[in-house]
Amino acid sequence: MNKVYCIGELLIDFVAEKQGSDLSKATNFTKKAGGAPANVACAISKLGGESFFIGCVGKDPFGTFLLTILEEHGVDISMAQRSSTFTTLAFVSLAEDGERDFVFSRGADKELQYNSEYRNKFKGNILHLGAATALLGGSLEDAYKHYFFDALSQGAFICFDPNFRGDLWKGKENLFIEKCLPYIEKSDLCKFSMEEAQLLSGKEDLNEACDFLHNVGAKVITITLGGDGTLLSTSKSKKNIPSIKVSPVDTTGAGDAFIGCLLQQISALADFKTIFNDESILTNMVLMANKAGAITTTNYGAIESLPNLNQLQH
Ligand code: ATP
């Protein structure tokens, strides 16, 4: 089993209790652990993989709460840091159909410091880069870049998820695209939503978007399509891999469950190249990852809803 290092933000999601009200009307909020790369780390360890979280939280009770949750889910937090800035907060409300609305209050996540002692950890392992806040500047962005180049120089398997959040990049979409492209260029696997694939490629049509993103350099592309499953694209083929039928109540974390499940399966391979050479193995992995995403939508919250191995196998 190879290790999966997940870098990016870990934050508190304050989720509006009353489903169907937007943030302007919500009054009561429930505190939940959130942050896409942290969710991915939990998804991996919940399925039996070995995951590490690299990110920063505050030296406050919220930071303690978050790191405790990761530990309880089996994520190694020895590379996580704490700063004296408050823990990053996100306020989330759910509409009737389970779609969500976000407001961010950015704090400690931006203060992650690069640690050169970790430089040699990536050989033979996986680095997963989640970009929701990492490309917004701060020392996190520098650390992110350094670990990316460290992992590349050691031939690690690289996975990139842009995690585009419109309210964070309003009016700066071109800068977001410019910042993402170098990561896409060098990634073995990219996970996009439909909107992200269209934004980053400038193409409406998803087949054309994939061609563009392959030309940039992405080797394997997955475009998650909610209830419609996933478009899997490689240099050899493009195909839609269906999901299972569920009744969703909250889609938060479905994409993280998907990519976490896919990375957990890849981490179990003796040779990562298998996914480039054997389409049927990759297809089966995506089928399983779709199931992980689907199960996550059937419960509230992100980390709490991530499936374990038993749920995936039934
Ligand atoms: P996120 O909102 O976390 O960024 P995302 O938009 O990337 O996620 P989705 O497309 O919502 O991710 O979901 C990821 C995967 O989970 C999908 O590719 C699909 O396989 C599965 N999934 C999500 N929603 C449903 C659904 N309603 N029914 C069945 N499967 C679903």
Side-chain angles (χ1 to χ4, degrees):
M1 182 76 65
N2 301 293
K3 298 177 173 72
V4 188
Y5 296 94
C6 302
I7 183 166
E9 79 284 2
L10 170 60
L11 49 83
I12 300 280
D13 274 331
F14 278 110
V15 183
E17 281 177 5
K18 195 164 160 267
Q19 187 165 358
S21 61
D22 62 34
L23 280 178
S24 65
K25 296 186 193 107
T27 49
N28 297 327
F29 294 84
T30 305
K31 183 183 73 176
K32 303 265 188 197
N39 292 342
V40 173
C42 287
I44 292 164
S45 57
K46 220 164 162 180
L47 293 172
E50 195 178 349
S51 66
F52 293 70
F53 175 71
I54 311 176
C56 186
V57 294
K59 283 181 192 158
D60 54 25
F62 288 147
T64 303
F65 165 76
L66 291 168
L67 292 179
T68 304
I69 295 227
L70 291 201
E71 262 192 315
E72 283 171 359
H73 282 80
V75 176
D76 189 310
I77 57 163
S78 58
M79 294 164 84
Q81 295 170 11
R82 300 187 76 165
S83 82
S84 44
T85 304
F86 66 89
T87 296
T88 300
L89 309 175
F91 295 84
V92 188
S93 88
L94 300 172
E96 290 294 351
D97 58 1
E99 286 302 320
R100 63 183 192 259
D101 190 17
F102 262 127
V103 168
F104 270 101
S105 177
R106 198 173 186 211
D109 80 275
K110 67 177 181 297
E111 298 191 350
L112 181 78
Q113 305 293 321
Y114 173 66
N115 185 340
S116 59
E117 285 170 21
Y118 299 154
R119 187 179 292 150
N120 299 317
K121 282 187 179 281
F122 304 105
K123 194 175 168 64
N125 293 312
I126 297 175
L127 178 65
H128 171 69
L129 300 128
T133 67
L135 302 179
L136 285 166
S139 54
L140 168 63
E141 187 168 359
D142 293 332
Y144 195 81
K145 234 180 264 172
H146 272 106
Y147 289 125
F148 172 63
F149 285 119
D150 287 345
L152 272 180
S153 69
Q154 290 160 42
F157 185 94
I158 311 267
C159 176
F160 178 69
D161 180 347
N163 281 126
F164 178 70
R165 304 289 180 229
D167 53 340
L168 294 178
W169 290 95
K170 224 180 174 79
K172 295 184 290 185
E173 289 82 358
N174 286 339
L175 179 62
F176 178 76
I177 296 167
E178 196 183 298
K179 288 193 177 211
C180 284
L181 291 180
Y183 293 96
I184 295 169
E185 181 188 340
K186 302 287 184 194
S187 287
D188 296 294
L189 170 64
C190 287
K191 182 247 172 235
F192 303 116
S193 64
M194 184 170 76
E195 295 73 20
E196 287 164 348
Q198 289 169 332
L199 174 73
L200 291 164
S201 65
K203 314 274 180 202
E204 273 294 302
D205 179 86
L206 291 185
N207 288 329
E208 287 178 22
C210 286
D211 290 340
F212 177 94
L213 294 162
H214 282 307
N215 278 337
V216 171
K219 295 189 184 72
V220 173
I221 294 172
T222 55
I223 302 180
T224 52
L225 303 167
D228 293 329
T230 300
L231 173 61
L232 170 63
S233 178
T234 67
S235 58
K236 295 176 201 139
S237 72
K238 291 182 185 63
K239 49 189 162 191
N240 256 84
I241 317 282
S243 191
I244 57 167
K245 263 219 137 10
V246 288
S247 303
V249 294
D250 175 9
T251 61
T252 313
D256 304 329
F258 168 87
I259 196 64
C261 179
L262 190 51
L263 288 174
Q264 187 274 326
Q265 295 174 82
I266 294 170
S267 74
L269 292 171
D271 182 354
F272 296 140
K273 287 198 185 76
T274 310
I275 73 154
F276 307 124
N277 300 333
D278 192 327
E279 290 259 329
S280 65
I281 288 184
L282 181 58
T283 301
N284 283 330
M285 286 179 170
V286 172
L287 266 173
M288 190 64 93
N290 280 350
K291 193 170 174 187
I295 292 170
T296 303
T297 69
T298 61
N299 267 310
Y300 292 98
I303 291 179
E304 303 86 336
S305 319
L306 295 167
N308 57 34
L309 215 45
N310 192 37
Q311 285 169 289
L312 265 196
Q313 286 164 349
H314 288 95

